[in-house]
Amino acid sequence: MAALAAAMSDPSRMKILCALMDGKAWTATELSAVADIAASTTSSHLSRLLKSNLVICLSQGRHRYFRLYNSSVAELLEKMMGMTFPVSRASRAKVPKELRKARTCYDHLAGEIAVKLYDSLVKNHWIESDGKKLTIQGQEKLLQLGVHLNAKTRRKACCPCLDWSERKFHVGGYLGASLLSFFENNHWIERVSGYREVMITSKGKKELDKHFFSHQ
């Protein structure tokens, strides 16, 4: 644990890890820009993060891309963000409104919309009250909607993930990832390139209200 904490203790490395929380793969050049450090320094930081199994490197031709090692690393980072985000109106006001509204938490949705979605799934009995299991009714409803779930996945089918800005749960696990993919593929949301911010489209607002929020 001490070795892991040491690998994460540098501010520039934390900037890199937080940038990778959008769930996508970044080049070293892109990470250098977001961390506001020299390319040579970025290389050194990435080497440290690779050695600590916090990120992985993907090679495609002559290009190398970096992303978080797995969802467990993302969950750890999200919890750390929650611990370092004081519960006060002043600190909340410092977070951009768009980021509080909707953002990615690695491979699932976070923010006000995601918390509202979690509450809806619990209230409508699509997931169990503790957020750790999808109900039979939920499976049927999601299948009707077009959200296909792999019963053989090794990941947790679904789990509550504490949202650092809302201090309430949003949906994580395989269900959270499947919903994010479904929303994006059906143009309910649009990602803001290079950022965790997510925009809810006009179609998305209508569909979310129709299928999830109208019964609350």
Side-chain angles (χ1 to χ4, degrees):
M1 286 189 289
L4 181 64
M8 302 174 75
S9 64
D10 183 89
S12 294
R13 287 198 287 274
M14 283 306 300
K15 286 182 181 179
I16 290 172
L17 291 172
C18 287
L20 295 175
M21 279 290 285
D22 69 349
K24 295 188 176 183
W26 292 53
T27 65
T29 302
E30 292 169 333
L31 291 171
S32 174
V34 76
D36 194 24
I37 52 179
S40 57
T41 307
T42 302
S43 178
S44 176
H45 285 315
L46 285 171
S47 178
R48 181 71 180 274
L49 294 172
L50 282 165
K51 188 178 296 185
S52 301
N53 288 334
L54 287 167
V55 303
I56 58 173
C57 180
L58 307 171
S59 297
Q60 188 171 347
R62 293 183 297 175
H63 302 286
R64 300 174 73 213
Y65 298 89
F66 300 86
R67 65 182 303 165
L68 292 183
Y69 190 81
N70 55 27
S71 59
S72 294
V73 175
E75 289 172 11
L76 174 61
L77 290 170
E78 187 75 6
K79 289 177 180 177
M80 291 176 68
M81 290 174 188
M83 292 180 67
T84 56
F85 187 70
V87 183
S88 70
R89 291 184 179 180
S91 60
R92 182 178 168 82
K94 294 178 182 178
V95 181
K97 183 179 179 181
E98 294 78 9
L99 201 62
R100 295 202 314 265
K101 186 72 174 179
R103 62 180 182 275
T104 53
C105 176
Y106 188 54
D107 62 357
H108 57 271
L109 199 62
E112 294 173 2
I113 289 293
V115 168
K116 188 177 180 181
L117 177 62
Y118 177 90
D119 290 342
S120 172
L121 293 174
V122 171
K123 187 171 183 178
N124 294 317
H125 307 292
W126 289 26
I127 61 176
E128 298 290 350
S129 58
D130 61 3
K132 295 181 179 180
K133 186 177 180 181
L134 187 65
T135 65
I136 294 177
Q137 178 182 338
Q139 293 178 36
E140 293 174 349
K141 292 291 186 180
L142 289 171
L143 186 60
Q144 291 173 12
L145 187 59
V147 182
H148 299 287
L149 302 171
N150 180 5
K152 297 182 180 180
T153 179
R154 293 183 179 181
R155 290 186 64 181
K156 294 178 181 178
C158 82
C159 64
C161 183
L162 186 63
D163 196 281
W164 63 261
S165 63
E166 297 304 302
R167 292 304 179 98
K168 295 180 179 179
F169 291 125
H170 59 242
V171 186
Y174 183 70
L175 174 59
S178 298
L179 286 171
L180 178 62
S181 295
F182 175 81
F183 294 159
E184 188 170 16
N185 292 337
N186 286 277
H187 308 292
W188 292 18
I189 64 170
E190 291 180 354
R191 296 202 190 205
V192 178
S193 181
Y195 298 91
R196 293 179 64 187
E197 181 186 336
V198 169
M199 303 294 291
I200 309 297
T201 65
S202 56
K203 177 185 177 182
K205 291 177 182 177
K206 293 178 182 178
E207 295 296 335
L208 285 168
D209 284 338
K210 176 182 177 181
H211 298 289
F212 296 101
F213 303 150
S214 61
H215 304 296
Q216 285 189 304

